[in-house]
Every structure is written in structure tokens, then in C-alpha cells.
Amino acid sequence: MSLSNPLIEQVRLDLLAAIESDSIVLPTLPEVALEIREAASDPDVNVGMLATIIENDSSIATRILRISNSSLLRGFQPIHDVKSAIGRIGLGYTSTLVTTLAMQQIFLSTKEALNQRMRAIWMHSTDVAAICNTLAKSQSNLKPEMATLAGIIHQVGTLPVLNYAVGRGFLRDHPDLLDQILISLSPEVGSRILEAWGFAEELVIVPMQHMDFDREAPKGDYVDLVTVANLHSYLGTEHPLASVDWSTVSAFERLGLPVTPDESEGYRQQIEAMQGALRD
């Protein structure tokens, strides 16, 4: 059963109208992420202020501590408090990292039909984010923490689309049709969400542009990292993207990355360490 372009367009118009009328509400950033972003924008903010906010969310605080003591940062002495963890990680990195970690909260649903799909999307997003983090370390103009966030948010537009579909049997009961709707509409919705959240333009464009393999840009950016990481994430699977010829994807050239997979143990270890930090 195929999905016609008129039906995709009608669903798109219905979905955007629902968003505009607030009958489908766009997801909001978790409270801890909002508080951290507001605090980080204050030029007088200090480590103690950020620590106080983070300590109010025990899950985020625990994960920040774990990351500060992980192989990702290679600290010589173990750290046991959030303030010291921020000192090791840095103010800017901590702010972005808290937003990234808090994002897991919006990939949950009380509806079982949605929860399974959202969980799968979250797991894929953490795979892409971990690869983005690792690849960004070879890029002098890109920050690993921003690259991680770019990977996490590249499919955020799927969330309201799934919420829209759950009450409509013609989508809910036909997974193949829903997959086509998600592919067609979630990029536009994702960029709308990030714009509403006040994210920087370099991240707002990620959902809309990361699947454009012929994309032109003046230099490698976070879109390119997500493009490459997404392709890496499907290696060895039966997903259609596993058969893409990397030499035809412009992002590789802009980033100066090889069009053959990195099979080194160090590369895999870095990705696995970041995956663990995001999922724990």
C-alpha cells in the first residue's frame, strides 16, 4: 500500500494546522535544561550556580558525575560532587550536556503504542549523537558537545507526528504508511520545534537538511556531522541507508573524512563510551 503525494500533503496541512492551534502541542524542553540555558546566558554565572540547578535533578546530576569520571574526559582523580564535575567539564560544555541528557525525558509516552517507537528513535538518536561526538574531535571548527546535541535532536520532529498519528487509525494501524509520513514530515516539524526552543540556526537546520546528500555548504558543519554519523549508524544493517555510496555524499569531503568506515578499536571505544553516557 503506497502513500500518495496528495495524502502526504493533506496530512502535512492537518498536522501544521494542529500545531498552530495548539491541538497538538510541540514538545517543550525539560525544566532543568531551560534553567541551565537561562543561567548559562548570564555573564555573571558561576560553577556554584549551575551546580545548584543540576543537583535539583538527581538523574542528571548522577550522569554528569559519571561523565566527569569517564574515559571521555580522562581525569586523573575521581570526582564526587557536581561542582567539581562542572569544573572539569567546563561551564559551556556542561550547559549543552545537560540539555542533551535531559532530552531523553521527551522521548517517552504514556501510550504504549507510541512508547515503543519513541524508545527506538531515542536509541538511534544516541547512536548518531555518539558518532557525531567522536567525529567532531577531528574538526577544529566544531565542538563535540554541540555535535552530540545535533545528533540527539535530528529526529525530534517525529514526536508530534507520532502523537498526531496515534489517534488516526489509517496511520496508526498501517506502520508502512506511518513510516512514510515520518520521513516526509518530521524534518520540517523538527526544525519548527528547535526554532521554537530558541536553538541556534546551525542546529535548527539539522532536521531539514541532514538527509540532503547533495547539499552545498561553505564548510563542514553540524548538519554534515549528522549526515555522516547517520550513515555510519546503519552499517551492517538492512536499512536502505546502509547501501548508500559514501563517495557520492558531499558531507564527507567538506569534513575531510574518509569514505570508508573506521574499524579501529579506539574509534569504537569512544563511541561506546559516549553511548553509555547518554543512555545510562
Side-chain angles (χ1 to χ4, degrees):
M1 187 176 183
S2 63
L3 192 63
S4 65
N5 287 334
L7 182 51
I8 290 179
E9 182 60 19
Q10 187 57 56
V11 172
R12 174 181 174 275
L13 293 174
D14 289 349
L15 180 61
L16 295 180
I19 291 171
E20 292 296 333
S21 66
D22 288 337
S23 56
I24 289 183
V25 181
L26 295 178
T28 57
L29 275 177
E31 190 66 29
V32 64
L34 288 170
E35 291 181 7
I36 283 289
R37 287 182 67 187
E38 184 178 355
S41 66
D42 182 348
D44 297 323
V45 71
N46 57 46
V47 170
M49 294 175 185
L50 289 190
T52 299
I53 296 170
I54 293 170
E55 286 165 353
N56 287 329
D57 188 311
S58 59
S59 174
I60 298 293
T62 299
R63 293 160 78 188
I64 289 290
L65 277 170
R66 189 177 294 127
I67 290 171
S68 71
N69 286 308
S70 73
S71 59
L72 293 166
L73 296 177
R74 296 184 177 85
F76 294 106
Q77 298 295 328
I79 282 175
H80 303 289
D81 63 277
V82 173
K83 189 173 180 179
S84 298
I86 297 172
R88 174 175 289 177
I89 297 170
L91 289 174
Y93 199 152
T94 299
S95 174
T96 305
L97 189 57
V98 167
T99 300
T100 302
L101 296 175
M103 287 289 291
Q104 184 173 8
Q105 298 172 26
I106 70 170
F107 283 84
L108 298 172
S109 174
T110 56
K111 302 182 178 75
E112 187 53 40
L114 285 179
N115 209 36
Q116 189 173 352
R117 269 191 180 258
M118 286 187 175
R119 179 65 178 167
I121 292 167
W122 171 253
M123 295 297 283
H124 175 68
S125 296
T126 58
D127 285 342
V128 173
I131 297 169
C132 282
N133 179 280
T134 302
L135 295 177
K137 293 172 183 174
S138 68
Q139 307 295 313
S140 61
N141 64 314
L142 301 176
K143 299 176 180 178
E145 67 271 23
M146 288 288 284
T148 308
L149 184 55
I152 286 292
I153 53 85
H154 82 284
Q155 287 191 304
V156 71
T158 58
L159 304 183
V161 177
L162 286 172
N163 275 307
Y164 170 89
V166 77
R168 292 162 174 80
F170 77 97
L171 290 176
R172 183 190 62 235
D173 300 334
H174 296 89
D176 290 344
L177 299 187
L178 180 53
D179 285 340
Q180 291 182 57
I181 287 288
L182 287 169
I183 290 169
S184 299
L185 303 184
S186 61
E188 179 179 358
V189 176
S191 287
R192 279 178 171 244
I193 292 170
L194 299 179
E195 192 171 23
W197 287 351
F199 274 40
E201 179 65 17
E202 59 190 347
L203 293 181
V204 168
I205 62 175
V206 167
M208 284 285 287
Q209 298 187 16
H210 77 278
M211 288 295 291
D212 181 0
F213 296 156
D214 298 321
R215 175 175 173 265
E216 295 181 2
K219 60 182 179 180
D221 57 12
Y222 296 109
V223 176
D224 288 335
L225 280 178
V226 173
T227 299
V228 171
N230 200 35
L231 292 174
H232 272 256
S233 73
Y234 287 115
L235 282 173
T237 73
E238 296 182 0
H239 193 279
L241 290 181
S243 61
V244 171
D245 180 356
W246 290 4
S247 67
T248 66
V249 180
S250 62
F252 284 89
E253 183 176 357
R254 279 192 296 277
L255 294 170
L257 293 172
V259 292
T260 53
D262 186 342
E263 301 291 349
S264 68
E265 185 66 23
Y267 172 76
R268 288 196 298 272
Q269 286 177 348
Q270 287 186 64
I271 292 173
E272 288 169 4
M274 197 66 212
Q275 285 172 329
L278 294 171
R279 293 174 180 174
D280 287 345

